[in-house]
Amino acid sequence: MDIPRIFTISESEHRIHNPFTPEKYATLGRVLRMKPGTRILDLGSGSGEMLCTWSRDYGITGVGIDMSPLFTAQAKLRAEALGVAAYVHFMHNDASGYIADEKCDVAACVGATWIAGGVGGTIALLAKSLKPGGIMLIGEPYWRQLPATDEDAKACGASALADFLTLPQLVASFGERGYDVVEMVLADQEGWDRYEAAKWLTLRRWLAENPDDEFAAEVRETLTVAPERHVTWTREYLGWGVFALMAR
């Protein structure tokens, strides 16, 4: 069980596997008014930066689930480095059907709603692990501006224009599902640059170290097209944010 190899390679040096910066995660923790002992479930936890830094800064406890062995191992090392390994725990597992044994104060899926077939399925999944009155966190892309065609949408990393909503449509969709949006923190273009551009140096160094690997041609193709694609499409057309929801 693992994610596609191109992500394992390109994001192997990332601590954050989405367009958020450390400052954005700090802002999110602050505006959510985290209290010591807050229990969090994070599905698709990546390298654990959210849980680890929030445990250090706000005294939360939590569990993170991710299907990448590499990222899970990195999350455990990060917890040890920040001195919070007794409070946050990470498991290599399929998050798509994971339900917490003990209901949580916060249930999150930040940038991995594909695990349950999209936003609606992810909300339904997270609700099974959330205490009454708890907060749900959904991290999701949205269109900053609509691409003209499905081909343009694919250049942004979507499979079709219909994959994402505009920001007003996305916020409205939460209400239609019976949830109040009680906070939100949005990524910016600098965050997209840090997420996307950081991959390019990693890919280039991997190619230098692995010129004869059978995967080298795909890595070379990705590195060749990624910078221009990013500045032309992703950076201009895609937004991304984390939305805090509470059931009505």
Side-chain angles (χ1 to χ4, degrees):
M1 180 172 53
D2 203 348
I3 60 176
R5 192 181 181 195
I6 190 62
F7 297 109
T8 299
I9 295 172
S10 65
E11 298 187 29
S12 60
E13 298 295 325
H14 283 51
R15 282 185 177 165
I16 298 172
H17 303 277
N18 61 57
F20 257 19
T21 59
E23 293 77 15
K24 292 288 185 179
Y25 269 125
T27 297
L28 182 61
R30 185 176 69 253
V31 300
L32 292 176
R33 308 168 197 173
M34 290 290 179
K35 296 179 181 178
T38 297
R39 181 173 175 80
I40 300 177
L41 172 68
D42 187 11
L43 300 185
S45 51
S47 295
E49 192 71 0
M50 183 177 80
L51 288 183
C52 289
T53 56
W54 283 3
S55 186
R56 176 196 64 193
D57 297 340
Y58 305 111
I60 64 96
T61 65
V63 173
I65 315 295
D66 201 272
M67 68 186 300
S68 166
L70 173 63
F71 297 164
T72 302
Q74 291 176 337
K76 293 176 180 179
L77 291 173
R78 184 65 167 153
E80 293 172 2
L82 295 185
V84 297
Y87 307 103
V88 290
H89 305 279
F90 298 95
M91 292 187 288
H92 173 230
N93 206 339
D94 182 359
S96 63
Y98 187 88
I99 300 172
D101 295 332
E102 178 183 349
K103 289 191 181 293
C104 303
D105 302 295
V106 178
C109 182
V110 178
T113 58
W114 50 266
I115 66 171
V119 171
T122 301
I123 287 175
L125 175 61
L126 292 175
K128 297 176 182 179
S129 297
L130 192 62
K131 290 180 180 178
I135 291 177
M136 188 179 295
L137 299 180
I138 296 288
E140 183 71 2
Y142 58 86
W143 294 120
R144 294 179 66 235
Q145 53 178 313
L146 286 172
T149 66
D150 278 343
E151 287 304 310
D152 291 346
K154 290 177 182 177
C156 299
S159 60
L161 183 60
D163 280 4
F164 307 130
L165 302 173
T166 65
L167 182 57
Q169 289 170 338
L170 180 58
V171 169
S173 76
F174 297 132
E176 292 164 1
R177 291 186 168 94
Y179 285 83
D180 289 319
V181 178
V182 297
E183 257 296 356
M184 70 177 190
V185 178
L186 304 182
D188 54 24
Q189 288 177 308
E190 169 64 15
W192 274 116
D193 291 346
R194 299 281 53 76
Y195 175 52
E196 294 292 343
K199 299 175 186 178
W200 308 335
L201 179 58
T202 302
L203 291 171
R204 180 57 188 264
R205 287 179 170 169
W206 185 93
L207 282 170
E209 294 167 2
N210 301 274
D212 300 322
D213 192 287
E214 62 181 11
F215 200 62
E218 182 169 338
V219 171
R220 175 69 261 175
E221 173 64 16
T222 299
L223 179 57
T224 299
V225 303
E228 185 175 353
R229 176 178 289 175
H230 170 61
V231 299
T232 304
W233 297 107
T234 310
R235 196 177 195 273
E236 300 301 319
Y237 284 82
L238 266 186
W240 196 90
V242 179
F243 303 87
L245 314 177
M246 295 181 70
R248 290 176 177 168

